[in-house]
Amino acid sequence: MFVTFEGGEGAGKSTQVKKLAAWCSRQGIPCLVTHEPGGTPLGQQLRSLLLESQISVDERAELLLYSADRAQHIGEVITPALKRGEIVLCDRFTDSTVAYQGYGRQLNLDWIEQLNTMATNGLAPDLTFWLNIPPEVGLARKNSQALDRLELSGIDFHRRIYAGFLALEEAYPTRIFRIDATQAPEQVFSQILEKFCSVYDSSLKA
Ligand code: TMP
């Protein structure tokens, strides 16, 4: 089972990924936690180029670098783990490219779909949690931390990203499960766990 976690800045994805991984390990369910960008040695270098460096990155180059990160990640980490029968929990995946590069940067959505299909070899998540938080609230949560290149983009950019996640939810209603991420982390987690267990149980019966 392949599960992804998506959302704008400050939604608390990584906390929830960790909680679900800890729950799986207590149940003896083998699971692998990973993230994009940066889930491989190549990806770590791409991540620092994309987010931490001061060099300018053209928007199309940005799209291609996220796609390169994903192609490596699929081949080196995600597909092998799924083949071993592990549950893969991934912090960000293709929906982030649609939301950030497609809606945020306003790049051509058909290119993005084609690049996503190429990079993933057609692999799509079985379940996606969209941790939904208004961009103003999410960015305010991050304000006390050092902000990276994308977090420093203006509020309009982050509002377009939010619109992108809404459009994705409408396009993939059975895959994407929306959760109100303004709630306390424990409440968010109990909703994640309930949905995860129901999808996991039906996958065992299938
Ligand atoms: P995060 O790991 O802290 O969520 O940061 C990753 C950043 O990269 C975040 O600002 C979203 C951005 N991103 C894209 O713009 N496109 C993508 O395809 C992915 C995976 C992430």
Side-chain angles (χ1 to χ4, degrees), residues 6-10 13-14 35-37 47 50-51 62-63 66-67 69-70 91-101 105 116 142 148-151 157-158 161:
E6 297 279 5
E9 308 301 327
K13 291 176 287 86
S14 32
H35 63 279
E36 289 191 358
R47 182 182 176 99
L50 279 162
L51 297 171
E62 180 183 84
L63 168 62
Y66 279 112
S67 301
D69 169 75
R70 181 160 304 127
D91 187 341
R92 294 198 186 279
F93 195 59
T94 47
D95 295 327
S96 280
T97 317
V98 174
Y100 280 75
Q101 280 65 52
R105 301 279 191 228
N116 277 344
K142 287 226 142 186
D148 67 33
R149 205 170 55 82
L150 289 192
E151 288 158 358
F157 174 68
H158 292 282
I161 291 165

Side-chain angles (χ1 to χ4, degrees), residues 32-50:
L32 178 116
V33 173
T34 188
H35 63 279
E36 289 191 358
T40 62
L42 174 68
Q44 280 159 24
Q45 303 222 9
L46 294 174
R47 182 182 176 99
S48 79
L49 282 173
L50 279 162

Side-chain angles (χ1 to χ4, degrees), residues 103 130 163-176 178:
Y103 284 77
W130 172 28
F165 282 120
L166 275 175
L168 281 160
E169 183 197 35
E170 211 171 286
Y172 302 100
T174 53
R175 170 172 68 82
I176 298 182
R178 178 208 286 225

Side-chain angles (χ1 to χ4, degrees), residues 48-76:
S48 79
L49 282 173
L50 279 162
L51 297 171
E52 286 145 31
S53 80
Q54 301 302 320
I55 53 171
S56 86
V57 183
D58 177 270
E59 295 180 349
R60 285 162 309 154
E62 180 183 84
L63 168 62
L64 292 167
L65 290 173
Y66 279 112
S67 301
D69 169 75
R70 181 160 304 127
Q72 186 72 22
H73 193 206
I74 283 278
E76 192 174 327

